[in-house]
Amino acid sequence: MEGSAGPGNLSASWWGDTPPYPAWALALMLIVTIAGGILGNGFVSVSIPKNKKLRKAGNAFVVSLAIAGLLVAFYPYPLVLMAIFHDGCVMGCLHCHISGFLMGTSVTSLIFNIAGIAINCYCYDCHSLKYDRHFSSTNTLCYVGLVWALTLLAIVPNLFMESLQYDPCVYSCTFAQSISILYTIILVMVNFFLPITIISYCYLKIWVLVIQVQRRVKPDIHPKMKPHDSPNLLTMSVGFVLFAVCWAPLNFIGFAAAVKPSLGSSIPEWLFTSNYFMAYFNSCLNAVIYGAMNQNFRKEYKRIMLTVFQLAYRTDGD
């Protein structure tokens, strides 16, 4: 995974100094990612507080997810873009380390928030009688705070390991696995494989229950389940699957290279770089998913855009 918390990245010491892709292609993809991340995550952050139908306890994790996406879109990604344009790090060591730390914070909080969403859905669908007590508004905000506390707990050790190094292949300050193989393996397990396992278990149990209810195998087991719950569940599930697709390749490569360092030199540079920028791109996908699959989000997006156009028109008229 990216930055200080990103155990899926390969150290620059395993690669040459020449990126395997044209700089313009990487820059174009990053520009799309930055623009999509700011607009999309901004829409999500505004939509949920404004729309009563979206103001559910579980959506606090969605707002937190959007904030994590905005975190990288406003600072680290523009620094990577500058490095691409200047063919090297031009902002100095301090900015590079801050960028890597914020990337790590964002990515770790992304997967922890996705885990929070999955656990929330699991409690809502599979333990509905206890849901309101455990996921009150106050409790949910505490859980979101816990997500960010665990995120910081997971990445702060990197500051003491001095593991952030600039990698010319991806124009970024990233986690260097060669600092400590054991530490890298622990990070991969705790920051990726463990959350992925928990999330997969939650959604598997939920979908089994949904199928049972729809087939009337257990018609009275779930009083909270409503007709609109399945589309919402599908949206959350798709978000998780896309996150896993974008980030799993880097983490599997990183884990394999940490367990067997000789594998690092045999992995093609183009594969590493493409997986790296695919992982970048994930930060702007959630807003697209919600807009495409959730009617309430689509309606709120339209209202926000209409309001922005009206304000712009009034400004021009004045």
Side-chain angles (χ1 to χ4, degrees), residues 15-24 26 83-84 87-88 166-172 269-270 272-274 277:
W15 305 103
D17 291 334
T18 304
Y21 285 100
W24 66 265
L26 300 179
I84 292 175
D87 196 23
Y166 180 77
D167 188 342
C169 269
V170 291
Y171 302 96
S172 306
E269 292 183 17
W270 66 265
F272 167 64
T273 305
S274 60
F277 277 80

Side-chain angles (χ1 to χ4, degrees), residues 29-79:
M29 183 175 183
L30 201 55
I31 290 171
V32 172
T33 301
I34 293 171
I38 293 175
L39 291 175
N41 289 305
F43 277 179
V44 171
S45 300
V46 174
S47 296
I48 292 175
K50 284 178 63 66
N51 191 309
K52 290 183 179 180
K53 293 182 179 179
L54 294 174
R55 257 179 278 162
K56 302 174 182 178
N59 279 345
F61 292 104
V62 178
V63 174
S64 182
L65 199 68
I67 292 173
L70 288 171
L71 187 65
V72 287
F74 275 114
Y75 183 77
Y77 287 178
L79 288 189

Side-chain angles (χ1 to χ4, degrees), residues 206-218 225:
I206 295 169
W207 279 110
V208 168
L209 180 60
V210 168
I211 293 171
Q212 289 176 336
V213 171
Q214 289 179 343
R215 293 182 177 180
R216 299 186 179 180
V217 176
K218 296 182 179 181
M225 187 170 287

Side-chain angles (χ1 to χ4, degrees), residues 7 26 31 55 62 75 81 83 99 113 159 164-165 169 192 223-224 230 239 271 275 299 305:
L26 300 179
I31 290 171
R55 257 179 278 162
V62 178
Y75 183 77
L81 194 59
S99 172
N113 276 299
L159 298 177
L164 293 177
Q165 297 180 5
C169 269
F192 188 77
K224 271 190 177 290
S230 291
L271 179 62
N275 287 339
K299 288 181 179 179
M305 287 188 288

